[in-house]
């Protein structure tokens, strides 16, 4: 597209459209609807070629206040919610050729949440932004590990290729990042 930004023109095929033409069943779980901005949402054009397109980013009110937030604050429900939905869909379609796209946003807004446990936060000191991020990352890593074990244990999915990439790595050496 050169210097242009989406949505893609109608004449350009997407990877899911190409895979559908090869009789793949396609699904996307994007966590696209978030407070303060949306992307990879239905209507953006990203959904083209996906038979199932789930752009929900579930929020919850934690049982106890999270890291200085008001007790009524909404926080991400966690990567496990989206991964469980995706795993259920994958298991239900395990006899078919599949292409599944999963994007997790939990690390885009790292915060101290009770479900992460103490992780890298250290006791008796104020955690740094890096401590909070590392603790959140360890939690997401556990969620992805559980997802991979679930897929690996399911009959019919033993010849599955999974690619994991991240868009939410932070460079804490950038000016202002350490204070965040």
């Amino acid at each position: 597209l050169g210097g242009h930004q989406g949505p893609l023109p109608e004449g350009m095929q997407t990877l899911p459209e190409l895979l559908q033409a090869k009789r793949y069943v396609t699904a996307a779980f994007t966590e696209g609807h978030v407070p303060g901005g949306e992307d990879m949402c239905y209507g953006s054009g990203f959904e083209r070629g996906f038979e199932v397109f789930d752009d929900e980013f579930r929020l919850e009110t934690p049982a106890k206040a999270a890291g200085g937030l008001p007790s009524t604050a909404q926080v991400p429900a966690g990567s496990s919610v989206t991964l469980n939905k995706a795993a259920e869909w994958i298991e239900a379609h395990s006899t078919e050729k599949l292409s599944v796209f999963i994007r997790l946003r939990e690390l885009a807004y790292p915060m101290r949440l009770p479900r992460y446990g103490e992780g890298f936060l250290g006791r008796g000191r104020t955690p740094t932004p890096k401590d909070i991020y590392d603790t959140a990352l360890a939690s997401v890593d556990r969620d992805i590990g559980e997802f991979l074990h679930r897929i690996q244990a399911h009959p019919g999915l033993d010849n599955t290729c999974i690619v994991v990439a991240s868009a939410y790595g932070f460079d804490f050496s950038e000016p202002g990042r350490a204070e965040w």
Side-chain angles (χ1 to χ4, degrees):
L1 294 176
H4 303 284
Q5 294 187 350
L8 289 175
E10 283 300 318
M12 295 186 81
Q13 278 195 305
T14 64
L15 179 59
E17 288 172 325
L18 293 169
L19 290 170
Q20 261 190 334
K22 299 287 186 185
R23 301 181 195 254
Y24 278 76
V25 180
T26 58
F29 301 86
T30 68
E31 295 187 348
H33 281 287
V34 296
E38 297 181 344
D39 68 348
M40 293 188 191
C41 295
Y42 191 84
S44 67
F46 190 81
E47 74 279 3
R48 285 185 17 208
F50 289 109
E51 294 173 46
V52 171
F53 190 82
D54 182 329
D55 58 6
E56 179 185 21
F57 183 66
R58 195 171 301 166
L59 298 173
E60 67 182 7
T61 304
K64 66 179 199 177
L69 295 173
S71 61
T72 58
Q74 295 277 288
V75 299
S79 299
S80 63
V81 172
T82 299
L83 290 168
N84 282 332
K85 285 193 292 185
E88 287 171 7
W89 187 89
I90 291 167
E91 289 167 346
H93 295 85
S94 64
T95 59
E96 303 173 77
K97 295 190 307 185
L98 303 177
S99 175
V100 182
F101 176 88
I102 304 169
R103 192 269 299 263
L104 304 174
R105 292 186 80 130
E106 188 160 355
L107 295 176
Y109 312 101
M111 60 183 76
R112 187 174 184 175
L113 297 175
R115 74 168 172 267
Y116 297 154
E118 287 302 307
F120 296 93
L121 300 177
R123 300 179 197 277
R125 65 177 176 83
T126 303
T128 66
K130 186 176 179 194
D131 295 332
I132 293 169
Y133 178 81
D134 287 348
T135 300
L137 176 61
S139 177
V140 171
D141 186 55
R142 281 189 299 276
D143 291 343
I144 292 171
E146 290 171 14
F147 170 80
L148 294 174
H149 286 254
R150 182 173 172 179
I151 298 304
Q152 183 180 29
H154 195 280
L157 295 173
D158 54 348
N159 195 19
T160 301
C161 176
I162 297 175
V163 177
V164 178
S166 174
Y168 299 115
F170 289 107
D171 179 356
F172 289 95
S173 66
E174 288 179 15
R177 239 347 147 176
E179 295 83 35
W180 156 49

